[in-house]
Amino acid sequence: MSEASKTTHTNQDQQNETWFSSWFDTPYYHILYKERNDKEAQLFMDNLTHYLNLPEKAKVLDLACGKGRHAIYLNQLGFDVIGADLSENSIAEANKNANESLHFKVHDMREVFEEKYDAIFNLFTSFGYFENDDDNLTTLKAIKNSLSDYGFAVIDFMNVNQVIETLVPEEVKTVDGIDFHLKRYVADGHIFKEIDFEDQGQKFHFTEKVKALTLQDFEYMMEEAGIYLLDIFGDYKLKKFHKTESERLILIFK
């Protein structure tokens, strides 16, 4: 993130306003989370596409796709896939995998797509980032309005009840020789993760901040957005959602 990543008080305040656009655009984000389980992600996509019974060559949108790991696999399953993300760096990296039926674009999830999709996937807790809570409702409406008449949407969110119950307040995670000092806490209806580390003699500080949205919160927003909630699952094997025990909150809607 060049100069903006230095932890002066002014830049830190500015960074907190748009933490997702700054942190996700750095190489350090991908270093910290490089061990993400691709096998688990592929199992989820297998289960999800089978459950939705998507037609061959269905048009699928991976919304907030990052570097495109889900989008790439969905394309391998035979779907016509668009991956969209706010991070220009992530999209540039994802574009290395583009082909005739797999494309990537920079896009703000609050904005409706002109093209309509048979399925829209918002995966791995890529929701609830905005400072203004109204933007979460705006995003849901944009997803609804980007679906085809027979399309389905999926939000894969954390189960905040389980996350808060099992929150690890502090830990140090070493990846590629970098010691990431992580501090987690809950405040003002959000789950925070403070990330501090040093690399090449320079100190960095980033903050992840996600709205602690419960199933009830989503149900309220969806009702307001005119969305029909079809099903709710609690993990990537699509087991029934349990309020205190499930690892995930997976919402199927249209």
Side-chain angles (χ1 to χ4, degrees):
M1 193 179 65
S2 67
E3 292 300 309
S5 63
K6 295 179 181 177
T7 55
T8 63
H9 181 70
T10 302
N11 283 344
Q12 192 172 334
D13 288 344
Q14 183 179 5
Q15 177 182 300
N16 285 340
E17 292 178 10
T18 57
W19 69 264
F20 48 90
S21 59
S22 56
W23 171 225
F24 290 166
D25 229 10
T26 74
Y28 297 109
Y29 169 78
H30 299 290
I31 291 172
L32 177 59
Y33 295 116
K34 69 184 296 183
E35 83 299 340
R36 284 178 170 168
N37 191 327
D38 285 339
K39 187 176 180 180
E40 182 183 59
Q42 291 175 4
L43 173 67
F44 182 33
M45 294 302 94
D46 289 340
N47 291 334
L48 197 54
T49 54
H50 178 74
Y51 168 81
L52 294 174
N53 194 25
L54 294 177
E56 188 178 354
K57 296 184 179 179
K59 300 182 75 65
V60 178
L61 171 63
D62 182 5
L63 189 61
C65 68
K67 292 164 75 172
R69 66 183 182 130
H70 291 101
I72 293 166
Y73 185 68
L74 285 164
N75 181 241
Q76 291 171 356
L77 292 178
F79 302 115
D80 187 349
V81 183
I82 291 281
D85 199 280
L86 193 62
S87 167
E88 294 183 7
N89 287 345
S90 291
I91 291 299
E93 187 66 27
N95 260 323
K96 295 176 182 178
N97 300 284
N99 59 48
E100 288 185 0
S101 57
L102 174 63
H103 300 90
F104 296 93
K105 65 185 294 184
V106 176
H107 182 87
D108 188 317
M109 66 169 64
R110 290 169 288 191
E111 298 175 2
V112 178
F113 281 80
E114 289 184 15
E115 196 165 6
K116 304 301 180 187
Y117 296 92
D118 300 310
I120 298 177
F121 297 157
N122 178 254
L123 306 169
F124 211 76
T125 309
S126 300
F127 193 91
Y129 293 165
F130 302 109
E131 280 298 310
N132 186 343
D133 288 344
D134 290 343
D135 286 336
N136 295 321
L137 179 60
T138 298
T139 299
L140 283 177
K141 290 178 178 177
I143 292 173
K144 176 180 181 287
N145 292 327
S146 300
L147 285 171
S148 65
D149 289 343
Y150 301 101
F152 299 95
V154 180
I155 289 180
D156 161 35
F157 200 68
M158 61 182 167
N159 177 12
V160 297
N161 299 300
Q162 195 261 0
V163 167
I164 292 171
E165 183 68 26
T166 60
L167 202 68
V168 178
E170 293 188 37
E171 68 173 312
V172 179
K173 192 173 180 181
T174 303
V175 188
D176 290 357
I178 301 173
D179 294 331
F180 292 92
H181 296 262
L182 310 176
K183 184 181 292 186
R184 303 177 181 89
Y185 57 93
V186 181
D188 300 325
H190 292 77
I191 297 174
F192 288 83
K193 183 190 291 182
E194 303 281 355
I195 304 161
D196 289 278
F197 58 95
E198 188 173 333
D199 187 39
Q200 298 180 357
Q202 186 174 349
K203 292 183 177 181
F204 296 84
H205 174 85
F206 294 94
T207 302
E208 293 182 4
K209 176 184 177 182
V210 182
K211 182 77 171 176
L213 295 165
T214 64
L215 172 58
Q216 188 175 12
D217 293 325
F218 275 107
E219 288 174 335
Y220 177 80
M221 285 192 295
M222 287 179 173
E223 185 177 352
E224 192 168 346
I227 284 170
Y228 182 57
L229 182 58
L230 298 167
D231 222 335
I232 307 159
F233 298 112
D235 65 15
Y236 293 147
K237 295 179 181 177
L238 303 188
K239 292 181 181 176
K240 185 178 178 181
F241 176 75
H242 189 283
K243 183 178 178 180
T244 58
E245 296 176 9
S246 294
E247 296 176 358
R248 309 298 299 171
L249 172 60
I250 299 168
L251 306 161
I252 317 289
F253 60 95
K254 63 183 304 178

